Amino acid sequence: MIQYLHLIHDTRVLILPKSNTSQYSLHNIHNLMDLAFSTQAELLVLPIEHFDDSFFQLNTQIAGEFIQKFINYKIRLAFLGNIDKFLHQSKAFTDFVYESNLGASCWFVQNIDELKQKLSMYKA
């Protein structure tokens, strides 16, 4: 799996590319966690294109379980990409994203510049 490790505002950030063909889910979450641990990444950046639409529907509980596993192991997450279509479909998801983005453990960001801005405000 191709990945890019960067040091951004003193945080080791592992960015997985959009060109990767993997789908991310609870079924392969351990592979992602192993990758984060093996690279000593503090924050894992995952393109939203690699998630099934059901991930963004809170009633499936997939996102909550996925994110909680990373939080339990103190690996921060950023979901990278445009999630507007999911925000328009659900007020609950909109609220979830808003609350997530207020914290330091899990963010939904449009681009790397937005990620850098968040990292400048929240150190690991």
Side-chain angles (χ1 to χ4, degrees):
M1 178 183 297
I2 297 172
Q3 69 268 345
Y4 303 98
L5 188 63
H6 300 274
L7 189 62
I8 303 172
H9 296 290
D10 297 323
T11 301
R12 291 176 59 87
V13 179
L14 183 63
I15 302 173
L16 300 184
K18 288 181 186 181
S19 61
N20 184 356
T21 59
S22 297
Q23 279 291 107
Y24 306 136
S25 69
L26 291 171
H27 299 294
N28 65 359
I29 193 170
H30 295 292
N31 295 342
L32 292 170
M33 294 179 91
D34 288 345
L35 186 59
F37 282 126
S38 70
T39 59
Q40 298 178 334
E42 298 167 84
L43 182 129
L44 183 60
V45 180
L46 303 170
I48 63 156
E49 292 84 0
H50 295 280
F51 289 91
D52 186 77
D53 285 0
S54 62
F55 182 88
F56 302 99
Q57 298 163 1
L58 293 185
N59 62 339
T60 67
Q61 301 180 346
I62 297 169
E65 189 174 339
F66 187 94
I67 292 165
Q68 188 61 51
K69 287 190 184 281
F70 282 93
I71 289 172
N72 289 348
Y73 288 97
K74 303 206 183 325
I75 301 169
R76 296 158 64 194
L77 287 175
F79 297 95
L80 180 67
N82 186 329
I83 58 170
D84 285 347
K85 78 175 187 177
F86 304 111
L87 296 174
H88 294 307
Q89 292 173 357
S90 168
K91 177 162 176 13
F93 184 68
T94 301
D95 293 343
F96 177 76
V97 169
Y98 175 79
E99 291 295 327
S100 294
N101 283 344
L102 289 177
S105 299
C106 174
W107 299 321
F108 292 83
V109 295
Q110 292 268 343
N111 53 50
I112 296 297
D113 288 336
E114 187 178 347
L115 176 67
K116 288 178 180 178
Q117 181 182 17
K118 287 237 176 248
L119 282 169
S120 72
M121 298 177 348
Y122 294 97
K123 303 288 186 205

